[in-house]
Amino acid sequence: MDMVSSAAILPDMLLGGREQVAEQIGEVWELAKAPVVVPVLRLTVAVCLAMSVMMLVEKVYMGIVVLVVKLLGRRPEKQYKWEAMKEDVELGNSAYPMVLVQIPMYNEKEVYQLSIGAACGLYWPSDRIIIQVLDDSTDPAIKDMVEVECRRWASKGINIKYEIRDNRNGYKAGALKEGMKHSYVKHCDYVAIFDADFQPQPDYLWRTIPFLVHNPQIALVQARWKFVNSDECLMTRMQEMSLDYHFTVEQEVGSVTYAFFGFNGTAGVWRISALNEAGGWKDRTTVEDMDLAVRASLKGWKFVYVGDLEVKNELPSTFKAYRYQQHRWSCGPANLFRKMAMEIVRNKKVSPWKKLYLIYSFFFVRKIVAHLVTFIFYCVVLPATVLVPEVEVPKWGAVYVPSIITFLNAVGTPRSLHLLVFWILFENVMSLHRTKATFIGLLEAGRVNEWVVTEKLGDALKTKMASKGPKRFRIRIGERVHVLELIVGIYLFLCGCYDVGFGKNRYFIYLFLQSTAFFIAGFGYVGTFVPNS
C-alpha cells in the first residue's frame, strides 16, 4: 500500500517542482525586465535604427550617383584618355608594354585548364607577354597535371612559366609576392591577375592596358565578373544578386567619385611600379587585394572600373564553400579596418573627403554596419521585442527602411526580382556568419587569419553524378547539420509562436519564414550537394 501511494505521489511532486521552477523563472524575468531588459533593448533598438539609417543614406547616395552616371553616359573611356594600341613600323612589337599574367592556384583540378587556356588565348604580341602559373597545390597528382598543361602550351610557342614554392606561407598573397621576385618580371610594366576559375576574353588586354599606358596616374583597371553557373541552384542566384549590386553600384560609384574601390583580387591589371610603391603584397589579413588597394590609394594612385568588360568565373555552389568564402570576405575587411584606420587618418597625400569616404562609407558602413545591423536587428532584436512588448520598433524602421534598402539592392539583377523574398531570407541567414566573422576581425580572435580556398566544382558534379548512376550516396550528418543556424531558427520560431499567442506586433509571418530559412540552412539543404561516393 505504501509503495502504491509513493508511486502516485512522485509524479505529483515532480509536476509541482516543475511548476515552482517555472514560477521562479517568471518572477526573475519580471523583476529583471523593467530595470534591465527594457532599457537595454531600447538602447539596442535605437542603435540599430541609427545603423539602418546610415545604410539607407549610403544606398540612396550610391543609387543617385549611378543614375547620374547612366544619364550622362560617363564611360571610363570618356573620363580618362583611351586610345587603342597601334602598331609602330619602326619599333615593331617593342612598342607594346611587357605584360605579366599571374594565375595563382591551389589544388584546382577541376578548372586549371580553363584559366590557363584563357590566359594563353589573350591577344597580345607573343614576345611581350609572360603567363606565370603560381601553383601552390599540395596534391602531387594535380601538380603534375598543371605542369603538363603548362608544357603543352609552351610547346605551342606560348611564353608560360610554371612556378612552385616549398611552402604556402602567406597563401595567395605569398604566392603572388614570390612570383614577383623572378628575374623576368623586372622587364614587365603591368601585371594582370586571374584566379584559377577566371576566363578572360581574348581582347581583355586590348581594352584595359590603354588606360594604364595613356594615364600615368592610374594604378589599377578592374573588370566585372560574369558568372557561368549562376543558374545552377537557388543559392547561386542569390549570390548573383548580391555581387551584381557590388559591381553595378559599389564599384561604379567608387570609380567615378574618388577613383577608389576595393580590388577584387582577380580580373584586374596593376601597374607594377604602383604595386611596388604601395609596398607590394602583404599577408597580414585574408583580404590581401583590398589591403593593396587601400595602400596604393593612400599613395595618390587612381583606379578605373570598366563595367562593360566581363570576365567569366564560377560562383561557389556548395554551402560549405560559400560559408568559408563569406567568413574570409567579412573577417578580412574588419581586420584591415582595425589595422589601417589611423594610417588613413594620418595620411597627408589624399584629401579629407577621400579619407572620410574610405573610413566611413567604404569600411564602416559597408564592411561593418551592413553585417551587424542585418543580423543583430532583424534576427535578434526585432524578434526580442515580441517578448518585451514595452519596447516598440517604429514602422519606418521595421518595414519601410529595410524595404527601400532591399529594392535598391535588387537593381543590379532585374531578372531575379521575383526571387527578392528568397534573397532577403538567405542574406539574413548568411548575416549570422558575416557578423561572427566581423567581430573576429575587429577583435583579432582565433580564426582571424583562416584561409580556406573556395572550392570550384567546374564540371565535376555532372561527371560524378553521371558516373555514379542510380547508386545511393553516403551522407555525413556532421557535414550537413549546422548548429548555429538551428539555434537561431529555434529562437525565431519560438518568438513567432509567442507572437501568435500573446503578441501584438504581428511579426509572426516574417519570424516563421525566417526561422524556416535558418532550419533549411541548418540541415544543409542549401546549394549543391556533392556526394561523398
Side-chain angles (χ1 to χ4, degrees), residues 4-25:
V4 172
S5 61
S6 298
I9 291 170
L10 189 58
D12 292 337
M13 290 176 63
L14 291 173
L15 182 62
R18 282 198 296 267
E19 289 177 350
Q20 288 178 356
V21 170
E23 288 177 3
Q24 289 175 353
I25 292 174

Side-chain angles (χ1 to χ4, degrees), residues 69-70 72-83 207-208 210-212 214-215 217-218 220-224 247 251-257 259 261 303-309:
V69 168
K70 298 297 181 186
L72 298 180
R74 288 192 63 183
R75 293 168 53 84
E77 292 84 353
K78 294 182 179 179
Q79 190 174 359
Y80 297 97
K81 184 180 180 182
W82 189 96
E83 293 179 3
R207 295 191 58 186
T208 53
F211 283 108
L212 296 162
H214 300 298
N215 301 275
Q217 76 275 27
I218 293 177
L220 167 68
V221 182
Q222 173 74 56
R224 178 174 177 157
F247 285 104
Q251 299 295 74
E252 186 75 59
V253 169
S255 181
V256 301
T257 54
F261 47 82
F303 306 159
V304 176
Y305 170 67
V306 186
D308 59 354
L309 177 59

Side-chain angles (χ1 to χ4, degrees), residues 289-508:
D289 43 16
M290 186 182 295
D291 189 348
L292 174 61
V294 174
R295 285 185 281 113
S297 180
L298 293 179
K299 294 289 184 180
W301 290 99
K302 294 184 177 181
F303 306 159
V304 176
Y305 170 67
V306 186
D308 59 354
L309 177 59
E310 298 178 338
V311 178
K312 295 179 182 178
N313 72 294
E314 180 182 324
L315 291 164
S317 56
T318 66
F319 191 44
K320 178 181 178 181
Y322 187 56
R323 288 172 77 207
Y324 277 126
Q325 183 200 67
Q326 292 303 296
H327 173 86
R328 191 171 77 244
W329 285 6
S330 302
C331 178
N335 190 233
L336 183 63
F337 178 62
R338 171 187 170 125
K339 293 178 184 296
M340 292 202 70
M342 292 311 299
E343 184 178 340
I344 295 170
V345 171
R346 290 192 295 264
N347 183 273
K348 300 187 185 306
K349 284 193 175 183
V350 298
S351 68
W353 286 110
K354 189 167 186 177
K355 290 182 187 179
L356 180 64
Y357 174 78
L358 277 167
I359 292 175
Y360 177 77
S361 295
F362 182 76
F363 274 116
F364 186 64
V365 177
R366 297 184 207 168
K367 311 301 181 187
I368 296 175
V369 167
H371 302 323
L372 299 186
V373 74
T374 304
F375 178 70
I376 295 175
F377 190 27
Y378 301 114
C379 298
V380 178
V381 173
L382 197 65
T385 61
V386 170
L387 306 176
V388 187
E390 293 88 344
V391 179
E392 293 185 2
V393 178
K395 186 176 287 187
W396 63 265
V399 180
Y400 301 142
V401 169
S403 297
I404 296 171
I405 291 173
T406 299
F407 280 109
L408 289 173
N409 265 299
V411 299
T413 316
R415 78 183 187 103
S416 297
L417 281 173
H418 62 291
L419 299 174
L420 206 52
V421 172
F422 295 101
W423 179 80
I424 294 169
L425 298 175
F426 178 69
E427 283 294 292
N428 286 349
V429 171
M430 292 310 303
S431 69
L432 164 64
H433 299 287
R434 292 170 184 150
T435 298
K436 183 179 69 171
T438 299
F439 279 120
I440 289 173
L442 289 173
L443 302 175
E444 289 200 329
R447 293 176 59 197
V448 67
N449 289 318
E450 180 184 67
W451 181 285
V452 179
V453 175
T454 305
E455 180 186 24
K456 293 102 180 178
L457 297 181
D459 293 327
L461 181 63
K462 295 177 184 176
T463 304
K464 199 165 191 176
M465 296 294 286
S467 64
K468 296 299 177 183
K471 294 181 182 179
R472 296 177 64 87
F473 303 116
R474 292 200 304 268
I475 299 176
R476 296 175 183 172
I477 299 300
E479 293 182 0
R480 295 294 298 268
V481 176
H482 307 292
V483 177
L484 284 178
E485 284 89 340
L486 294 178
I487 291 174
V488 177
I490 291 170
Y491 166 70
L492 293 171
F493 180 76
L494 293 177
C495 289
C497 292
Y498 186 89
D499 195 35
V500 170
F502 310 101
K504 60 179 182 179
N505 295 323
R506 298 296 181 262
Y507 292 155
F508 60 86

Side-chain angles (χ1 to χ4, degrees), residues 124-385:
W124 203 252
S126 59
D127 60 337
R128 306 300 293 171
I129 184 171
I130 302 173
I131 311 297
Q132 187 186 64
V133 177
L134 304 168
D135 190 9
D136 269 2
S137 299
T138 52
D139 187 325
I142 296 176
K143 266 190 171 182
D144 291 341
M145 288 189 289
V146 175
E147 186 174 9
V148 168
E149 182 70 7
C150 292
R151 287 177 179 174
R152 187 174 75 84
W153 282 103
S155 67
K156 296 182 179 182
I158 300 297
N159 188 2
I160 184 169
K161 309 288 185 181
Y162 176 71
E163 306 290 0
I164 59 174
R165 52 188 185 140
D166 56 7
N167 60 69
R168 288 193 67 218
N169 294 342
Y171 304 108
K172 181 180 175 181
L176 293 170
K177 184 177 182 178
E178 196 69 25
M180 297 298 291
K181 293 179 180 179
H182 294 281
S183 58
Y184 55 83
V185 175
K186 295 177 182 177
H187 306 292
C188 298
D189 303 293
Y190 311 114
V191 55
I193 301 167
F194 300 102
D195 283 350
D197 59 313
F198 278 71
Q199 306 163 55
Q201 294 297 319
D203 65 345
Y204 177 87
L205 295 178
W206 288 101
R207 295 191 58 186
T208 53
I209 296 296
F211 283 108
L212 296 162
V213 170
H214 300 298
N215 301 275
Q217 76 275 27
I218 293 177
L220 167 68
V221 182
Q222 173 74 56
R224 178 174 177 157
W225 297 1
K226 176 68 176 177
F227 314 110
V228 297
N229 65 329
S230 57
D231 292 325
E232 184 172 327
C233 61
L234 188 59
M235 190 185 81
T236 52
R237 287 291 291 272
M238 303 298 100
Q239 292 178 66
E240 181 190 39
M241 292 177 71
S242 298
L243 288 170
D244 276 352
Y245 176 82
H246 168 69
F247 285 104
T248 304
V249 179
E250 292 180 344
Q251 299 295 74
E252 186 75 59
V253 169
S255 181
V256 301
T257 54
Y258 294 97
F260 168 80
F261 47 82
F263 173 43
N264 294 118
T266 177
V269 187
W270 276 92
R271 186 186 301 274
I272 292 180
S273 60
L275 190 154
N276 292 333
E277 185 187 344
W281 295 103
K282 293 186 178 181
D283 58 3
R284 57 180 175 172
T285 71
T286 56
V287 283
E288 74 293 323
D289 43 16
M290 186 182 295
D291 189 348
L292 174 61
V294 174
R295 285 185 281 113
S297 180
L298 293 179
K299 294 289 184 180
W301 290 99
K302 294 184 177 181
F303 306 159
V304 176
Y305 170 67
V306 186
D308 59 354
L309 177 59
E310 298 178 338
V311 178
K312 295 179 182 178
N313 72 294
E314 180 182 324
L315 291 164
S317 56
T318 66
F319 191 44
K320 178 181 178 181
Y322 187 56
R323 288 172 77 207
Y324 277 126
Q325 183 200 67
Q326 292 303 296
H327 173 86
R328 191 171 77 244
W329 285 6
S330 302
C331 178
N335 190 233
L336 183 63
F337 178 62
R338 171 187 170 125
K339 293 178 184 296
M340 292 202 70
M342 292 311 299
E343 184 178 340
I344 295 170
V345 171
R346 290 192 295 264
N347 183 273
K348 300 187 185 306
K349 284 193 175 183
V350 298
S351 68
W353 286 110
K354 189 167 186 177
K355 290 182 187 179
L356 180 64
Y357 174 78
L358 277 167
I359 292 175
Y360 177 77
S361 295
F362 182 76
F363 274 116
F364 186 64
V365 177
R366 297 184 207 168
K367 311 301 181 187
I368 296 175
V369 167
H371 302 323
L372 299 186
V373 74
T374 304
F375 178 70
I376 295 175
F377 190 27
Y378 301 114
C379 298
V380 178
V381 173
L382 197 65
T385 61

